[in-house]
Coordinates of all heavy atoms in Angstrom, one line a residue:
M1 N -19.1 18.2 -8.5 CA -19.2 18.0 -7.0 C -19.4 16.5 -6.7 O -20.1 15.8 -7.3 CB -20.4 18.8 -6.5 CG -20.1 20.3 -6.3 SD -18.9 20.6 -4.9 CE -20.0 20.8 -3.5
T2 N -18.6 16.1 -5.7 CA -18.8 14.7 -5.2 C -19.2 14.7 -3.8 O -18.6 15.4 -3.0 CB -17.5 13.9 -5.4 OG1 -16.4 14.7 -4.9 CG2 -17.2 13.6 -6.8
G3 N -20.3 14.0 -3.5 CA -20.7 13.8 -2.1 C -19.8 12.7 -1.5 O -20.0 11.6 -1.8
S4 N -19.0 13.1 -0.6 CA -18.1 12.2 -0.1 C -18.5 11.7 1.3 O -17.6 11.2 2.0 CB -16.6 12.7 -0.1 OG -16.6 14.0 0.5
H5 N -19.7 11.9 1.6 CA -20.2 11.4 3.0 C -20.7 10.0 2.9 O -20.9 9.3 3.9 CB -21.3 12.3 3.5 CG -20.8 13.7 3.8 ND1 -19.9 14.0 4.9 CD2 -21.0 14.8 3.1 CE1 -19.6 15.3 4.7 NE2 -20.3 15.8 3.8
D6 N -20.7 9.4 1.7 CA -21.3 8.1 1.6 C -20.4 7.1 2.2 O -19.2 6.9 1.8 CB -21.5 7.8 0.2 CG -22.4 6.6 -0.1 OD1 -22.7 5.9 0.8 OD2 -23.0 6.5 -1.2
A7 N -20.9 6.3 3.2 CA -20.1 5.3 3.8 C -19.7 4.1 2.9 O -18.7 3.5 3.1 CB -20.8 4.7 5.0
D8 N -20.5 4.0 1.8 CA -20.2 2.9 0.8 C -18.8 3.2 0.2 O -18.2 2.2 -0.3 CB -21.3 2.8 -0.2 CG -22.6 2.3 0.3 OD1 -22.4 1.7 1.4 OD2 -23.6 2.4 -0.3
D9 N -18.4 4.4 0.2 CA -17.1 4.8 -0.5 C -15.9 4.4 0.4 O -14.8 4.5 0.0 CB -17.0 6.3 -0.8 CG -17.9 6.5 -2.1 OD1 -18.4 5.5 -2.7 OD2 -18.0 7.6 -2.5
A10 N -16.2 4.2 1.7 CA -15.1 4.0 2.7 C -14.3 2.7 2.4 O -15.0 1.7 2.0 CB -15.6 4.1 4.1
V11 N -13.0 2.8 2.5 CA -12.2 1.6 2.3 C -11.8 1.2 3.7 O -11.4 2.0 4.6 CB -10.9 2.0 1.5 CG1 -10.0 0.9 1.4 CG2 -11.3 2.6 0.2
D12 N -12.0 -0.1 4.0 CA -11.5 -0.6 5.3 C -10.0 -1.0 5.2 O -9.4 -1.0 4.1 CB -12.4 -1.6 5.9 CG -12.5 -2.9 5.0 OD1 -11.6 -3.1 4.1 OD2 -13.3 -3.7 5.2
C13 N -9.4 -1.3 6.4 CA -8.0 -1.7 6.4 C -7.7 -2.9 5.5 O -6.7 -2.8 4.8 CB -7.7 -2.1 7.8 SG -7.8 -0.8 9.0
A14 N -8.5 -3.9 5.5 CA -8.3 -5.1 4.7 C -8.2 -4.7 3.2 O -7.3 -5.1 2.5 CB -9.4 -6.1 4.9
E15 N -9.1 -3.9 2.8 CA -9.1 -3.4 1.4 C -7.9 -2.6 1.1 O -7.2 -2.7 0.1 CB -10.4 -2.7 1.0 CG -10.6 -2.6 -0.5 CD -11.9 -1.9 -0.8 OE1 -12.7 -1.7 0.1 OE2 -12.1 -1.6 -2.0
A16 N -7.7 -1.6 2.0 CA -6.6 -0.7 1.7 C -5.2 -1.4 1.6 O -4.5 -1.2 0.7 CB -6.5 0.3 2.9
L17 N -5.1 -2.5 2.5 CA -3.8 -3.2 2.5 C -3.7 -4.1 1.3 O -2.6 -4.3 0.8 CB -3.7 -4.0 3.8 CG -3.4 -3.2 5.1 CD1 -3.3 -4.1 6.3 CD2 -2.3 -2.4 4.9
S18 N -4.9 -4.7 0.9 CA -4.9 -5.6 -0.2 C -4.6 -4.9 -1.5 O -4.1 -5.5 -2.5 CB -6.1 -6.4 -0.3 OG -7.1 -5.6 -0.8
K19 N -4.8 -3.6 -1.5 CA -4.6 -2.9 -2.8 C -3.4 -2.0 -2.6 O -3.2 -1.2 -3.6 CB -5.9 -2.0 -3.1 CG -7.0 -3.0 -3.4 CD -8.2 -2.2 -4.0 CE -9.2 -3.3 -4.5 NZ -10.6 -2.7 -4.5
L20 N -2.7 -2.2 -1.6 CA -1.6 -1.2 -1.5 C -0.6 -1.3 -2.5 O -0.1 -0.3 -3.0 CB -0.9 -1.5 -0.1 CG 0.2 -0.6 0.4 CD1 -0.5 0.9 0.6 CD2 0.7 -1.0 1.7
F21 N -0.2 -2.5 -3.0 CA 0.8 -2.6 -4.0 C 0.2 -2.0 -5.3 O 1.0 -1.4 -6.1 CB 1.1 -4.1 -4.2 CG 2.5 -4.4 -3.6 CD1 2.7 -4.9 -2.4 CD2 3.7 -4.2 -4.5 CE1 3.9 -5.1 -1.9 CE2 4.9 -4.4 -4.0 CZ 5.1 -4.9 -2.7
E22 N -1.0 -2.4 -5.6 CA -1.6 -1.8 -6.9 C -1.6 -0.3 -6.8 O -1.3 0.4 -7.7 CB -3.0 -2.3 -7.1 CG -3.1 -3.7 -7.4 CD -4.5 -4.3 -7.2 OE1 -5.3 -3.9 -8.0 OE2 -4.8 -5.0 -6.1
F23 N -1.9 0.2 -5.6 CA -1.9 1.7 -5.4 C -0.5 2.2 -5.6 O -0.3 3.2 -6.3 CB -2.4 1.9 -4.0 CG -2.3 3.3 -3.6 CD1 -3.1 4.3 -4.1 CD2 -1.4 3.7 -2.5 CE1 -3.0 5.6 -3.7 CE2 -1.3 5.1 -2.1 CZ -2.1 6.0 -2.8
L24 N 0.5 1.6 -5.0 CA 1.8 2.1 -5.2 C 2.4 1.9 -6.6 O 3.2 2.8 -7.1 CB 2.8 1.4 -4.2 CG 2.6 1.7 -2.8 CD1 3.4 0.7 -1.9 CD2 3.1 3.1 -2.4
D25 N 1.8 1.0 -7.3 CA 2.2 0.8 -8.7 C 1.4 1.6 -9.6 O 1.5 1.5 -10.9 CB 2.1 -0.7 -9.1 CG 3.3 -1.5 -8.5 OD1 4.4 -0.9 -8.3 OD2 3.2 -2.7 -8.2
A26 N 0.4 2.3 -9.1 CA -0.5 3.2 -9.9 C -1.3 2.3 -10.9 O -1.5 2.6 -12.0 CB 0.3 4.2 -10.6
E27 N -1.6 1.1 -10.4 CA -2.3 0.2 -11.2 C -3.8 0.2 -11.0 O -4.6 -0.5 -11.6 CB -1.8 -1.3 -11.0 CG -0.5 -1.6 -11.7 CD 0.1 -3.0 -11.2 OE1 -0.6 -3.6 -10.5 OE2 1.1 -3.2 -11.7
I28 N -4.3 1.1 -10.2 CA -5.7 1.2 -9.9 C -6.1 2.6 -10.3 O -5.4 3.5 -10.5 CB -6.1 1.0 -8.4 CG1 -5.3 2.0 -7.5 CG2 -5.8 -0.4 -8.1 CD1 -5.7 1.8 -6.1
G29 N -7.5 2.8 -10.5 CA -8.0 4.0 -11.0 C -7.8 5.1 -10.1 O -7.5 5.0 -8.9
E30 N -7.9 6.3 -10.6 CA -7.7 7.5 -9.8 C -8.6 7.6 -8.6 O -8.3 8.0 -7.5 CB -7.9 8.8 -10.7 CG -6.8 9.8 -10.4 CD -6.8 11.0 -11.3 OE1 -6.3 10.7 -12.5 OE2 -7.4 12.0 -11.0
A31 N -9.9 7.4 -8.9 CA -10.9 7.5 -7.8 C -10.6 6.5 -6.7 O -10.7 6.8 -5.5 CB -12.3 7.2 -8.4
E32 N -10.4 5.3 -7.1 CA -10.1 4.2 -6.0 C -8.7 4.6 -5.3 O -8.6 4.4 -4.2 CB -10.0 2.9 -6.8 CG -10.0 1.8 -5.7 CD -10.3 0.4 -6.3 OE1 -9.9 0.2 -7.5 OE2 -10.8 -0.4 -5.7
G33 N -7.7 5.1 -6.0 CA -6.5 5.5 -5.4 C -6.8 6.6 -4.4 O -6.2 6.6 -3.3
D34 N -7.7 7.5 -4.7 CA -8.0 8.6 -3.7 C -8.7 8.0 -2.4 O -8.3 8.4 -1.4 CB -9.0 9.5 -4.4 CG -8.3 10.5 -5.3 OD1 -7.0 10.5 -5.2 OD2 -8.9 11.3 -6.0
R35 N -9.5 7.0 -2.7 CA -10.2 6.4 -1.4 C -9.1 5.7 -0.6 O -9.2 5.8 0.7 CB -11.2 5.4 -1.9 CG -12.5 6.1 -2.4 CD -13.3 5.2 -3.3 NE -13.7 3.9 -2.5 CZ -13.9 2.7 -3.0 NH1 -13.8 2.6 -4.3 NH2 -14.2 1.7 -2.3
I36 N -8.1 5.1 -1.2 CA -7.1 4.4 -0.4 C -6.2 5.4 0.3 O -5.9 5.2 1.5 CB -6.4 3.5 -1.3 CG1 -7.3 2.3 -1.7 CG2 -5.1 2.9 -0.6 CD1 -6.6 1.3 -2.7
R37 N -5.9 6.5 -0.5 CA -5.1 7.5 0.0 C -5.8 8.1 1.3 O -5.2 8.4 2.4 CB -4.8 8.6 -1.0 CG -3.5 9.3 -0.7 CD -3.3 10.5 -1.7 NE -4.0 10.3 -2.9 CZ -3.5 10.0 -4.0 NH1 -2.2 9.8 -4.1 NH2 -4.2 9.9 -5.1
L38 N -7.1 8.3 1.2 CA -7.9 8.9 2.2 C -7.8 8.0 3.5 O -7.7 8.5 4.6 CB -9.3 9.0 1.7 CG -10.2 10.1 2.3 CD1 -9.7 11.5 1.9 CD2 -11.6 10.0 1.9
H39 N -8.0 6.7 3.2 CA -7.9 5.8 4.4 C -6.6 5.8 5.0 O -6.5 5.9 6.3 CB -8.3 4.4 3.9 CG -8.2 3.3 5.0 ND1 -9.3 3.0 5.8 CD2 -7.2 2.6 5.6 CE1 -8.9 2.1 6.7 NE2 -7.7 1.8 6.5
L40 N -5.5 5.8 4.2 CA -4.2 5.7 4.8 C -3.9 7.0 5.6 O -3.2 6.9 6.6 CB -3.2 5.7 3.6 CG -3.2 4.4 2.8 CD1 -2.2 4.5 1.6 CD2 -2.8 3.2 3.7
A41 N -4.4 8.1 5.2 CA -4.2 9.3 5.9 C -4.7 9.4 7.3 O -4.4 10.1 8.1 CB -4.7 10.5 5.1
D42 N -5.8 8.5 7.4 CA -6.5 8.5 8.7 C -6.4 7.2 9.5 O -7.0 7.1 10.6 CB -8.0 8.6 8.2 CG -8.8 9.4 9.2 OD1 -8.3 10.4 9.7 OD2 -10.0 9.0 9.5
C43 N -5.5 6.3 9.1 CA -5.4 5.1 9.8 C -3.9 4.7 10.0 O -3.2 4.5 9.1 CB -6.1 3.9 8.9 SG -6.0 2.3 9.7
E44 N -3.5 4.8 11.2 CA -2.1 4.7 11.5 C -1.5 3.3 11.2 O -0.4 3.3 10.6 CB -1.9 4.9 13.0 CG -0.6 5.8 13.2 CD -0.5 6.3 14.6 OE1 -1.3 7.2 15.0 OE2 0.3 5.9 15.4
P45 N -2.1 2.2 11.5 CA -1.5 0.9 11.1 C -1.3 0.8 9.6 O -0.2 0.4 9.1 CB -2.5 -0.1 11.6 CG -3.3 0.5 12.6 CD -3.4 2.0 12.3
C46 N -2.3 1.3 8.8 CA -2.2 1.2 7.4 C -1.1 2.2 6.9 O -0.3 1.9 6.0 CB -3.4 1.5 6.7 SG -4.7 0.2 6.8
L47 N -1.1 3.4 7.5 CA -0.1 4.4 7.1 C 1.3 3.9 7.3 O 2.2 4.1 6.5 CB -0.4 5.7 7.9 CG 0.4 6.9 7.4 CD1 0.1 7.2 5.9 CD2 0.2 8.1 8.3
S48 N 1.6 3.3 8.5 CA 2.8 2.8 8.7 C 3.2 1.7 7.7 O 4.4 1.6 7.3 CB 3.0 2.3 10.1 OG 2.1 1.2 10.4
E49 N 2.3 0.9 7.3 CA 2.7 -0.1 6.3 C 2.9 0.6 4.9 O 3.8 0.2 4.2 CB 1.5 -1.1 6.1 CG 1.9 -2.1 5.0 CD 1.2 -3.5 5.2 OE1 0.5 -3.7 6.2 OE2 1.3 -4.3 4.4
Y50 N 2.1 1.5 4.6 CA 2.3 2.4 3.4 C 3.7 3.0 3.4 O 4.4 2.9 2.4 CB 1.2 3.4 3.4 CG 1.4 4.4 2.3 CD1 1.2 4.1 1.0 CD2 1.6 5.8 2.6 CE1 1.4 5.0 -0.1 CE2 1.7 6.7 1.6 CZ 1.6 6.3 0.3 OH 1.7 7.3 -0.7
D51 N 4.1 3.6 4.5 CA 5.4 4.2 4.6 C 6.5 3.2 4.3 O 7.4 3.4 3.5 CB 5.7 4.8 6.0 CG 5.0 6.1 6.1 OD1 4.5 6.6 5.1 OD2 4.9 6.6 7.3
V52 N 6.4 2.0 4.9 CA 7.4 0.9 4.7 C 7.3 0.5 3.2 O 8.4 0.4 2.6 CB 7.1 -0.3 5.6 CG1 8.0 -1.4 5.2 CG2 7.3 0.2 7.0
S53 N 6.2 0.3 2.6 CA 6.1 -0.1 1.2 C 6.7 0.9 0.3 O 7.4 0.6 -0.7 CB 4.6 -0.3 0.9 OG 4.0 -1.2 1.8
E54 N 6.3 2.1 0.5 CA 6.9 3.2 -0.3 C 8.4 3.3 -0.2 O 9.1 3.4 -1.2 CB 6.3 4.6 0.0 CG 6.3 5.4 -1.2 CD 5.5 6.7 -1.0 OE1 5.7 7.3 0.1 OE2 4.7 7.0 -1.9
H55 N 8.8 3.1 1.0 CA 10.3 3.1 1.2 C 11.0 2.0 0.5 O 11.9 2.1 -0.2 CB 10.6 3.0 2.7 CG 12.0 3.0 3.1 ND1 12.8 4.2 2.9 CD2 12.9 2.1 3.6 CE1 14.0 3.9 3.3 NE2 14.1 2.7 3.7
L56 N 10.3 0.8 0.5 CA 10.9 -0.3 -0.2 C 10.8 -0.1 -1.6 O 11.8 -0.5 -2.4 CB 10.1 -1.6 0.2 CG 10.3 -2.2 1.6 CD1 9.2 -3.3 1.9 CD2 11.7 -2.7 1.7
K57 N 9.8 0.4 -2.1 CA 9.7 0.6 -3.6 C 10.8 1.6 -4.0 O 11.3 1.5 -5.1 CB 8.3 1.2 -4.0 CG 7.3 0.1 -3.9 CD 6.1 0.4 -4.7 CE 6.3 0.6 -6.2 NZ 5.9 -0.5 -7.0
K58 N 11.0 2.7 -3.2 CA 12.1 3.6 -3.6 C 13.5 2.9 -3.7 O 14.3 3.1 -4.6 CB 12.1 4.8 -2.6 CG 11.1 5.8 -2.9 CD 11.2 7.0 -1.9 CE 10.0 7.8 -2.2 NZ 9.6 8.6 -0.9
L59 N 13.6 2.0 -2.7 CA 14.9 1.2 -2.7 C 15.0 0.4 -4.0 O 16.0 0.3 -4.6 CB 15.0 0.3 -1.5 CG 15.4 0.9 -0.2 CD1 15.3 -0.1 0.9 CD2 16.7 1.6 -0.2
V60 N 13.8 -0.2 -4.3 CA 13.9 -1.1 -5.5 C 14.2 -0.2 -6.8 O 15.0 -0.6 -7.6 CB 12.5 -1.7 -5.7 CG1 12.4 -2.4 -7.2 CG2 12.3 -2.8 -4.7
R61 N 13.6 1.0 -6.8 CA 13.9 1.9 -8.0 C 15.3 2.3 -8.0 O 15.8 2.4 -9.1 CB 12.9 3.1 -7.9 CG 11.5 2.7 -8.2 CD 10.7 3.9 -8.7 NE 9.3 3.7 -8.7 CZ 8.5 4.1 -7.7 NH1 8.9 4.9 -6.8 NH2 7.2 3.8 -7.8
R62 N 15.8 2.5 -6.9 CA 17.1 3.0 -6.8 C 18.1 2.0 -7.3 O 19.1 2.2 -7.9 CB 17.5 3.5 -5.4 CG 18.6 4.5 -5.3 CD 18.6 5.2 -4.0 NE 17.4 5.8 -3.6 CZ 17.1 6.0 -2.3 NH1 17.7 5.7 -1.3 NH2 16.0 6.7 -2.1
S63 N 17.9 0.7 -6.8 CA 18.9 -0.3 -7.1 C 18.8 -0.8 -8.5 O 19.8 -1.3 -9.1 CB 18.7 -1.5 -6.1 OG 17.4 -1.9 -6.1
C64 N 17.6 -0.7 -9.1 CA 17.5 -1.0 -10.5 C 16.5 -0.2 -11.2 O 15.3 -0.1 -10.8 CB 17.4 -2.5 -10.9 SG 16.1 -3.3 -10.0
N65 N 17.0 0.5 -12.2 CA 16.1 1.6 -12.8 C 14.8 1.2 -13.3 O 13.8 1.8 -13.1 CB 16.9 2.3 -13.9 CG 18.0 3.2 -13.3 OD1 17.8 3.7 -12.2 ND2 19.1 3.4 -14.1
D66 N 14.7 0.1 -14.0 CA 13.5 -0.3 -14.7 C 12.7 -1.3 -13.9 O 11.7 -0.8 -13.2 CB 13.8 -0.9 -16.1 CG 14.2 0.2 -17.0 OD1 13.7 1.4 -16.9 OD2 15.1 0.0 -17.8
S67 N 13.0 -2.5 -13.9 CA 12.1 -3.4 -13.2 C 12.9 -4.2 -12.1 O 14.1 -4.4 -12.3 CB 11.5 -4.4 -14.1 OG 12.5 -5.0 -14.9
A68 N 12.3 -4.5 -11.0 CA 13.0 -5.1 -9.9 C 13.0 -6.6 -10.3 O 12.1 -7.2 -10.9 CB 12.1 -5.0 -8.6
P69 N 14.1 -7.2 -9.9 CA 14.1 -8.7 -10.1 C 13.0 -9.4 -9.3 O 12.6 -8.9 -8.2 CB 15.5 -9.1 -9.5 CG 16.1 -7.9 -8.9 CD 15.2 -6.7 -9.2
A70 N 12.5 -10.5 -9.8 CA 11.5 -11.2 -9.2 C 11.8 -11.5 -7.7 O 10.9 -11.4 -6.9 CB 11.1 -12.4 -10.0
E71 N 13.0 -11.9 -7.5 CA 13.5 -12.3 -6.2 C 13.2 -11.1 -5.2 O 12.7 -11.4 -4.1 CB 15.0 -12.7 -6.2 CG 15.4 -13.4 -5.1 CD 16.9 -13.5 -5.0 OE1 17.4 -14.0 -6.0 OE2 17.6 -13.2 -4.0
L72 N 13.6 -9.9 -5.6 CA 13.4 -8.8 -4.7 C 12.0 -8.5 -4.4 O 11.6 -8.2 -3.3 CB 14.2 -7.5 -5.3 CG 14.2 -6.3 -4.5 CD1 14.9 -6.6 -3.1 CD2 15.1 -5.2 -5.2
H73 N 11.1 -8.6 -5.5 CA 9.7 -8.5 -5.4 C 9.2 -9.4 -4.3 O 8.4 -9.1 -3.5 CB 9.1 -8.7 -6.7 CG 8.5 -7.4 -7.3 ND1 7.1 -7.0 -7.0 CD2 9.0 -6.5 -8.0 CE1 6.9 -5.9 -7.5 NE2 8.0 -5.5 -8.2
E74 N 9.7 -10.7 -4.4 CA 9.2 -11.7 -3.5 C 9.6 -11.3 -2.1 O 8.8 -11.5 -1.1 CB 9.9 -13.0 -3.8 CG 9.2 -13.8 -4.9 CD 7.6 -13.9 -4.5 OE1 7.4 -14.4 -3.5 OE2 6.8 -13.5 -5.4
R75 N 10.8 -10.8 -1.9 CA 11.2 -10.4 -0.5 C 10.4 -9.3 0.0 O 10.0 -9.3 1.2 CB 12.7 -10.0 -0.6 CG 13.5 -10.7 0.4 CD 15.0 -10.9 0.0 NE 15.6 -9.6 -0.3 CZ 16.7 -9.5 -1.1 NH1 17.2 -10.5 -1.6 NH2 17.3 -8.3 -1.2
I76 N 10.0 -8.4 -0.8 CA 9.2 -7.3 -0.3 C 7.8 -7.8 0.0 O 7.2 -7.4 1.1 CB 9.1 -6.2 -1.4 CG1 10.4 -5.5 -1.5 CG2 8.0 -5.2 -1.1 CD1 10.5 -4.5 -2.7
R77 N 7.3 -8.7 -0.8 CA 6.0 -9.2 -0.5 C 6.0 -10.0 0.8 O 5.1 -9.9 1.6 CB 5.5 -10.1 -1.7 CG 4.9 -9.3 -2.8 CD 4.4 -10.2 -3.9 NE 4.1 -9.4 -5.1 CZ 3.0 -8.6 -5.3 NH1 2.1 -8.6 -4.3 NH2 2.8 -7.9 -6.4
A78 N 7.0 -10.7 1.1 CA 7.2 -11.5 2.3 C 7.2 -10.6 3.5 O 6.5 -10.8 4.5 CB 8.4 -12.4 2.2
Q79 N 7.9 -9.5 3.3 CA 8.0 -8.5 4.4 C 6.7 -7.8 4.6 O 6.3 -7.7 5.8 CB 9.0 -7.4 3.8 CG 9.3 -6.3 4.9 CD 10.1 -6.8 6.0 OE1 10.9 -7.8 5.9 NE2 10.1 -6.2 7.1
L80 N 5.9 -7.5 3.6 CA 4.6 -7.0 3.8 C 3.6 -8.0 4.5 O 2.8 -7.6 5.3 CB 4.0 -6.6 2.4 CG 4.5 -5.3 1.9 CD1 4.0 -5.0 0.5 CD2 4.2 -4.2 2.8
T81 N 3.8 -9.2 4.1 CA 3.0 -10.2 4.8 C 3.2 -10.2 6.3 O 2.2 -10.3 7.1 CB 3.2 -11.6 4.2 OG1 3.1 -11.5 2.8 CG2 2.3 -12.7 4.8
V82 N 4.4 -10.1 6.7 CA 4.7 -10.0 8.1 C 4.1 -8.8 8.8 O 3.5 -8.9 9.8 CB 6.2 -10.0 8.3 CG1 6.6 -9.7 9.7 CG2 6.9 -11.2 7.8
L83 N 4.2 -7.6 8.1 CA 3.6 -6.4 8.6 C 2.1 -6.6 8.7 O 1.5 -6.1 9.7 CB 3.9 -5.3 7.7 CG 5.4 -4.8 7.7 CD1 5.6 -3.8 6.6 CD2 5.6 -4.0 9.1
R84 N 1.5 -7.2 7.7 CA 0.0 -7.3 7.6 C -0.4 -8.2 8.8 O -1.4 -7.9 9.5 CB -0.4 -8.0 6.3 CG -1.7 -7.9 6.0 CD -1.9 -8.1 4.5 NE -1.2 -7.1 3.7 CZ -0.9 -7.3 2.4 NH1 -1.1 -8.5 1.8 NH2 -0.3 -6.4 1.7
T85 N 0.4 -9.2 9.1 CA 0.0 -10.1 10.2 C 0.1 -9.3 11.6 O -0.8 -9.5 12.4 CB 1.0 -11.3 10.3 OG1 1.1 -12.0 9.0 CG2 0.5 -12.4 11.2
Q86 N 1.1 -8.5 11.6 CA 1.2 -7.7 12.9 C 0.0 -6.7 13.0 O -0.5 -6.6 14.1 CB 2.5 -6.9 12.9 CG 3.7 -7.8 13.1 CD 5.0 -7.0 12.8 OE1 5.0 -5.8 12.3 NE2 6.1 -7.6 13.1
V87 N -0.4 -6.1 11.9 CA -1.5 -5.3 11.9 C -2.8 -5.9 12.3 O -3.5 -5.5 13.3 CB -1.8 -4.6 10.5 CG1 -3.1 -3.9 10.5 CG2 -0.7 -3.6 10.2
E88 N -3.0 -7.2 11.8 CA -4.2 -7.9 12.1 C -4.2 -8.3 13.6 O -5.2 -8.5 14.2 CB -4.2 -9.2 11.3 CG -4.9 -8.8 9.9 CD -4.6 -9.9 8.8 OE1 -4.1 -11.0 9.2 OE2 -4.9 -9.6 7.7
R89 N -3.0 -8.6 14.2 CA -3.0 -8.9 15.6 C -3.3 -7.9 16.5 O -3.8 -8.1 17.7 CB -1.5 -9.5 15.9 CG -1.4 -11.0 15.6 CD -0.1 -11.5 16.2 NE 0.2 -12.7 15.5 CZ 1.5 -13.0 15.1 NH1 2.4 -12.1 15.3 NH2 1.8 -14.1 14.5
D90 N -3.1 -6.7 16.2 CA -3.3 -5.6 17.1 C -4.8 -5.3 17.4 O -5.6 -5.1 16.6 CB -2.7 -4.2 16.5 CG -1.2 -4.2 16.8 OD1 -0.8 -5.0 17.6 OD2 -0.5 -3.3 16.3
Ligands
LIG101 ZN1 -6.5 1.0 8.0

């Protein structure tokens, strides 16, 4: 059993966004991934960024099976930076 009422476990937008890439790359632990997923499910600005990120990652996977070229990664990161700035402005 896990008591999930603890506010210390909550992820805020900044943390969720900063870990979005690691989350999508499955580079973070399961527990932390769950916390981020929980936040995303409940937070519209983050969720929309998550959708975009996942969409981009699918495009990357489709265009090259194994690893994305660094240039494409850069482009995605730049795109996310723009989105992040928009979220912060709202
Ligand atoms: Zn959020």
Side-chain angles (χ1 to χ4, degrees):
M1 281 292 267
T2 47
S4 51
H5 295 290
D6 198 342
D8 288 344
D9 281 359
V11 179
D12 63 15
C13 291
E15 192 178 355
L17 292 180
S18 73
K19 294 194 170 150
L20 190 59
F21 253 94
E22 292 165 73
F23 173 67
L24 288 167
D25 284 330
E27 282 172 3
I28 58 176
E30 218 172 284
E32 194 164 27
D34 279 350
R35 284 161 58 208
I36 290 176
R37 208 187 335 257
L38 209 70
H39 178 93
L40 293 175
D42 214 36
C43 180
E44 220 169 291
C46 286
L47 186 62
S48 60
E49 177 156 354
Y50 170 66
D51 280 348
V52 170
S53 305
E54 206 173 46
H55 183 66
L56 287 172
K57 284 199 65 106
K58 276 179 190 153
L59 282 179
V60 171
R61 286 205 195 102
R62 205 167 300 159
S63 54
C64 47
N65 285 334
D66 287 320
S67 54
E71 190 192 311
L72 188 53
H73 248 271
E74 275 309 305
R75 231 152 59 202
I76 292 172
R77 279 184 193 279
Q79 185 72 21
L80 281 176
T81 305
V82 171
L83 287 167
R84 199 162 296 162
T85 308
Q86 286 170 353
V87 168
E88 278 164 9
R89 272 193 200 134
D90 276 352

